[in-house]
Amino acid sequence: MRPSRRLLAIASLIALLSLGLVVFADEPAGPIQAMWGILAVLVVADVVLTPGRRRFVLEAPATRELFVGETAELEFRLRPAREGRGPQPGSAMARIAWPSGLDGPPQFVLLPGGGDCRATVTVRAGRRGHFAVDEVAVMRSSRFKLVDLVAAYRCSTRLVVVPNVRAITSGEIDVQIATEAFGSRASLMRGEGSEFHQLRDFVSGMDSRTIDYKRSARHGALVAREMRAEKNHNVVLALDNGHLMREEIAGLPKIDHMINSALALGWAGIQGGDLVGLYAFDARPRLYLPPRGGRPAFAQLRSKAADLSYRAIETNHTLAMTHLGQKLSRRCLVVVFSDFVDTTTAELLVENVEVLNRHHVVAFVSIRDPLLQAYQRRAAGDLGEVAAAVAAAGLDRERRLVLDRLARLGVFVVDAEPGGITARLVSTYLNIKARELI
C-alpha cells in the first residue's frame, strides 16, 4: 500500500493552507487539525471500503512451448475470487520481472471488461531453456483513488523455449527435398547411382554400358539396369558450442542459428533415408549421439540439441576433431558448424578439418555477419566511421581467406547470412548425395 498521486496532491494543498493559516490566522490550530483529521478519515474509509487482495484471483497462462527467436502472446486475467459474485476489479497496472532470455514489457495495463480485467502481453524468446514467471505484482487504485494497493500474485506460467523448427513444420524442407528429388537431379539420382533400382527395356539413346546381357538373354530382348543414389549414409552434425558461438547475430546467438539449421538438415537426412547423429563440443567433447534413422531419431536429435547450454569457454578444435574421428568407423558426411575470428585463430580449425576430410566428406557451415557488409557500405562521416569500415573490410578479407582455403582442401563451404543458411545447407547435402560422394 502506498499513497496515490491524488492523495499527495491533496496533502500538499492542505500543507499550503496550513502554512497560510499559521502565518495569517490568530488561532490556526483548530482549522488545521480539522483538515488533517478529515483527510485521515477519508483515507481510512477508502482502505476499508476497497476490496482486499484475497477478493481477486490472477489467472495466467500455464506451460507453453515456443520457438527461439519467435514471439508468443500471453493473456493475464484478474477476476473476482468467486465467479459472478463479489466486487468487480477496475483497471490495474501489472509488473513482471522477466527472466533473462525472455524479452517482454516490464509493466502493462489490465483493462476492465466483462466482469474482470485482461491484458495480452507479447513476449520474445531470445534464448533456449525453461523459464518460469513466478510472480506478478498488481497495483490497483482504491475506491476513492487515495491509495494504491500493491499485491503480489503467484503465477504458474512456464515457458519452454526450444530450437526453431519452423522450416520443418511449415513443410519448407519437404518441398525443397521434393523439388530436388523430382526436378533436374532426378535423372542423376536414378541413373548414375551405385544402388540397383530396377530393370527396364533398352531403347535407342541409352548408355550401352547399362545393358544386363545375362538377363537380356533370359528375356530374349535387351534390358538395362537402372541405378539410383545409395541410401543409409551416416551424417554427423558437429556443433561448436564455444564462446564465439554466443555472439548475437540478427537477435539470436550464433549457436541457435546453427542448431536450427542442423535440425533442418537432420530432418532432410532422415526423410532421405540416411542415418543422422549429433556431436557437440567446446573445450572438450560434450555429447555424441550415434547416427540413427527414423522419426524417433529426429525427436531425440531435437531434445538433445535443445538441452545444449550456452558456454563461455574457448573451443579446442584439435581435441574435438580427433575425438570425432575416433568415433566414426565408416565413411560419412560430417557437417561442422563452427566460427572463427581471423586467420590466426582459424589455423588449428583448418588443420584438423583437413585431417578429418581425408577419410570423410566434410561440410563447413559458418554464419556471415550482416554488420560487416553494413559497415563497408555505409558512407563514412568521420574518422571513427572510416576506422570501423577499414576494420570490417579486414575481418571480411581474412574470413574469405580461411573459407577459400577450406574450399581448396575439398571441404564444402556453406557461408551465408542467418536467413539463408538452411536452404543452402540442405541443397549442399542433396548435391553431395546426388554425386555419390559419401
Side-chain angles (χ1 to χ4, degrees):
M1 182 184 303
R2 70 181 188 182
S4 67
R5 293 183 179 181
R6 176 178 292 185
L7 179 58
L8 294 176
I10 295 174
S12 300
L13 179 59
I14 293 177
L16 289 175
L17 293 175
S18 301
L19 180 61
L21 290 173
V22 170
V23 173
F24 298 105
D26 295 333
E27 295 181 0
I32 292 176
Q33 291 177 359
M35 289 187 296
W36 286 108
I38 293 172
L39 181 61
V41 171
L42 288 175
V43 170
V44 172
D46 194 17
V47 172
V48 171
L49 295 175
T50 301
R53 173 190 178 279
R54 296 183 179 180
R55 305 289 294 275
F56 301 101
V57 174
L58 181 72
E59 292 184 351
T63 302
R64 178 175 299 186
E65 183 180 277
L66 67 154
F67 294 150
V68 64
E70 295 192 354
T71 59
E73 291 188 346
L74 308 179
E75 184 180 65
F76 294 88
R77 177 187 176 211
L78 185 67
R79 63 168 180 82
R82 296 182 179 181
E83 288 281 3
R85 300 174 59 185
Q88 304 301 316
S91 63
M93 180 71 71
R95 182 182 294 271
I96 295 179
W98 298 104
S100 178
L102 296 180
D103 185 16
Q107 62 183 24
F108 52 92
V109 179
L110 294 161
L111 297 176
D116 56 20
C117 292
R118 298 171 183 263
T120 301
V121 179
T122 301
V123 181
R124 182 182 182 275
R127 293 286 191 279
R128 284 173 290 106
H130 295 250
F131 302 94
V133 181
D134 295 322
E135 188 177 83
V136 178
V138 178
M139 184 179 69
R140 296 182 293 113
S141 296
S142 60
R143 185 177 295 273
F144 301 141
K145 301 186 184 302
L146 297 179
V147 178
D148 291 333
L149 303 176
V150 181
Y153 292 89
R154 299 296 299 174
C155 183
S156 60
T157 300
R158 300 292 183 270
L159 297 179
V160 181
V161 184
V162 297
N164 194 330
V165 292
R166 184 69 64 191
I168 299 173
T169 58
S170 65
E172 177 183 339
I173 301 301
D174 292 335
V175 169
Q176 186 174 358
I177 294 173
T179 302
E180 299 288 347
F182 299 103
S184 59
R185 294 201 184 117
S187 60
L188 176 63
M189 296 181 68
R190 289 198 302 266
E192 299 183 14
S194 59
E195 183 178 282
F196 176 77
H197 179 48
Q198 64 182 3
L199 291 173
R200 58 174 299 183
D201 293 334
F202 182 83
V203 296
S204 177
M206 294 179 61
D207 190 347
S208 59
R209 291 175 296 180
T210 63
I211 298 175
D212 189 323
Y213 290 99
K214 290 184 178 180
R215 290 182 173 85
S216 297
R218 189 178 304 136
H219 286 80
L222 289 178
V223 293
R225 294 184 301 271
E226 186 175 276
M227 313 299 287
R228 66 180 178 183
E230 184 183 355
K231 297 183 179 181
N232 294 323
H233 298 297
N234 280 359
V235 179
V236 177
L237 310 174
L239 287 166
D240 177 1
N241 197 24
H243 72 99
L244 289 179
M245 305 300 288
R246 296 183 62 183
E247 178 188 355
E248 286 196 3
I249 293 182
L252 282 181
K254 290 182 179 179
I255 183 62
D256 285 322
H257 289 295
M258 296 296 196
I259 289 175
N260 297 341
S261 298
L263 290 178
L265 177 60
W267 176 261
I270 289 173
Q271 291 292 91
D274 290 333
L275 312 179
V276 182
L278 181 65
Y279 178 62
F281 59 93
D282 42 71
R284 62 183 180 85
R286 298 287 179 179
L287 168 70
Y288 179 71
L289 195 63
R292 293 177 53 202
R295 295 199 174 189
F298 178 77
Q300 188 177 18
L301 280 177
R302 183 184 177 187
S303 174
K304 294 295 184 181
D307 291 339
L308 290 178
S309 59
Y310 299 91
R311 298 190 177 273
I313 52 180
E314 187 174 359
T315 302
N316 187 337
H317 289 99
T318 301
L319 178 60
M321 296 297 105
T322 302
H323 181 79
L324 179 59
Q326 294 173 349
K327 286 284 187 181
L328 303 177
S329 58
R330 56 174 286 191
R331 182 176 175 85
C332 64
L333 170 63
V334 180
V335 186
V336 180
F337 299 83
S338 187
D339 196 16
F340 54 90
V341 177
D342 50 34
T343 54
T344 303
T345 58
E347 190 63 34
L348 287 176
L349 169 64
V350 174
E351 291 179 1
N352 288 279
V353 169
E354 180 182 7
V355 172
L356 194 64
N357 192 54
R358 295 173 185 171
H359 306 285
H360 306 279
V361 180
V362 178
F364 182 82
V365 183
S366 180
I367 298 180
R368 187 185 308 156
D369 193 344
L371 285 179
L372 292 180
Q373 298 295 327
Y375 276 120
Q376 297 179 61
R377 295 172 182 173
R378 186 173 57 186
D382 52 38
L383 289 179
E385 293 182 353
V386 172
V390 172
L395 289 174
D396 190 49
R397 181 172 58 255
E398 291 197 357
R399 181 183 185 80
R400 295 309 316 168
L401 288 174
V402 174
L403 296 179
D404 289 344
R405 181 178 174 187
L406 287 172
R408 287 195 298 271
L409 294 173
V411 175
F412 291 86
V413 176
V414 177
D415 178 52
E417 295 185 359
I421 289 181
T422 299
R424 288 192 55 185
L425 180 58
V426 173
S427 180
T428 300
Y429 158 73
L430 294 173
N431 183 42
I432 291 172
K433 282 197 63 173
R435 294 170 57 185
E436 289 288 316
L437 297 179
I438 306 177

